[in-house]
Amino acid sequence: MDNVRFSAYRFSAHDEAGPQGREFVITAEPDLEPLANIYRVRIQEGEIPTLTHTLCDTVDDMIGLMRTALEQAPGSIYTPTLVVHPADNTLALSIRANLGHRQRQFVINLQQVGIPLEDRLDRMERLIGTRTNDCFSGAAGHHHANLRLFHDGLAMVKFQGGAEHDGASLVNEYRHGQHYIEFRVIKCHNNYCMIGVQESLAVLNTYPGHGANASGKAIYGNSHCYESGTNADYGLGGFGPGDYVGVLLDMNARQVTFYVNGRAGQAKTLTGPAYYIIANVHTVGDAVKLRPAYCWHR
């Protein structure tokens, strides 16, 4: 569950492997104050039936209930209430279930947590960069199911699946103009990450320049550029964690140029009428993030 808005907060919920088994993790971020502290709680799966008065038994049940309650869909049996307690730095989320002639209610107390410096910098970049709308798209079919977006779409990570190339697209499809997008590689096993452009989002489990996406182009962490089912050294050297990788998509000239740490490679010719900008990762744990403060459009 990602970025469900309720009562001036954005909620996300997911499961993690904890020392005692599966955990339900819920996070609340102020919607209008992106630099304010956030609230979070971890709940052991075995504690869920008691907490919810048997409304839920598993983490999956809990995630579904949370989404239904917070989205407040017409006809929902759930009524959420949110109260901030400044004295003890907690956020109390109360959910009441209307079950015919009886009701059940439970409360989740989220504790305020500080934001690490790097996350604060990411949020500042996101504030600066909102003018360009440069973020990964959360729309269905715009990122592979093995990928999870985080930091409000500023970053993505591969959290499940086998060793295959899975892609995530930015929000926009580009038909005209010049568009520069810059990424920072967070983690990349064996330099298997790729940054590129492709015409369609129909196939997201292969990379640009290959197979169904052969009309696209991509630069690989091994320093090669992939296009039309082939690859060759692009001349910029390899890239990995900590490196900056840029894409200049020039739809006026029908060309794409890749950058590694500020150095530009050779422009590659494009043939399609429109392209998406794609980040592609291979191994669980691989992650990249956008740098919207350094993106531009003309």
Side-chain angles (χ1 to χ4, degrees):
M1 183 186 84
D2 293 319
N3 293 322
V4 176
R5 287 171 165 81
F6 173 71
S7 189
Y9 284 84
R10 286 182 294 109
F11 286 84
S12 60
H14 64 276
D15 68 299
E16 290 185 3
Q20 308 297 324
R22 292 182 76 194
E23 293 182 344
F24 173 66
V25 183
I26 179 170
T27 303
E29 303 185 32
D31 199 21
L32 301 178
E33 299 179 65
L35 297 181
N37 286 323
I38 64 178
Y39 297 84
R40 180 173 293 134
V41 67
R42 293 174 177 271
I43 303 169
Q44 297 291 330
E45 186 168 48
E47 299 171 352
I48 289 176
T50 301
L51 171 68
T52 65
H53 307 300
T54 69
L55 287 169
C56 297
D57 293 320
T58 67
V59 169
D60 295 329
D61 293 342
M62 191 73 173
I63 291 175
L65 185 151
M66 289 288 300
R67 181 189 299 278
T68 302
L70 294 175
E71 288 181 344
Q72 297 183 288
S76 172
I77 66 170
Y78 302 110
T79 302
T81 306
L82 199 63
V83 178
V84 179
H85 297 289
D88 57 2
N89 297 319
T90 60
L91 185 73
L93 175 63
S94 174
I95 297 178
R96 186 176 72 249
N98 302 301
L99 305 172
H101 297 293
R102 58 195 176 95
Q103 296 182 345
R104 290 184 187 175
Q105 181 169 321
F106 64 92
V107 178
I108 301 173
N109 290 304
L110 293 82
Q111 186 69 42
Q112 187 181 88
V113 295
I115 304 175
L117 177 59
E118 184 175 355
D119 288 350
R120 286 188 181 274
L121 292 175
D122 283 343
R123 288 159 183 260
M124 290 177 68
E125 283 189 345
R126 189 71 189 94
L127 283 174
I128 296 170
T130 52
R131 66 183 185 276
T132 62
N133 194 31
D134 295 320
C135 58
F136 288 108
S137 174
H142 281 225
H143 64 274
H144 195 277
N146 289 338
L147 308 181
R148 175 175 289 149
L149 309 186
F150 61 103
H151 288 182
D152 201 19
L154 188 66
M156 68 88 162
V157 62
K158 182 162 183 173
F159 74 100
Q160 66 178 14
E164 66 176 20
H165 289 278
D166 299 324
S169 166
L170 271 66
V171 170
N172 295 315
E173 177 190 57
Y174 299 108
R175 294 180 174 271
H176 310 284
Q178 297 175 316
H179 312 277
Y180 178 78
I181 303 295
E182 187 167 289
F183 301 84
R184 185 172 189 263
V185 181
I186 302 174
K187 192 172 184 179
C188 181
H189 291 85
N190 300 317
N191 290 17
Y192 282 176
C193 297
M194 306 181 78
I195 305 295
V197 298
Q198 64 190 52
E199 288 189 75
S200 169
L201 300 180
V203 179
L204 289 171
N205 63 345
T206 188
Y207 47 87
H210 176 75
N213 298 319
S215 63
K217 317 282 184 184
I219 185 172
Y220 200 4
N222 66 0
S223 83
H224 282 212
C225 181
Y226 284 68
E227 56 182 329
S228 304
T230 64
N231 68 91
D233 190 352
Y234 192 58
L236 296 180
F239 60 83
D243 287 322
Y244 300 98
V245 184
V247 183
L248 175 56
L249 176 60
D250 187 343
M251 290 305 296
N252 297 332
R254 290 293 194 275
Q255 292 179 333
V256 63
T257 304
F258 299 106
Y259 293 71
V260 175
N261 295 329
R263 297 176 300 129
Q266 179 184 2
K268 296 288 186 177
T269 300
L270 300 171
T271 58
Y275 284 84
Y276 294 91
I277 294 177
I278 299 286
N280 192 288
V281 291
H282 181 268
T283 307
V284 169
D286 287 353
V288 299
K289 70 176 181 181
L290 285 149
R291 306 188 73 219
Y294 299 94
C295 302
W296 53 263
H297 304 268
R298 297 171 183 165

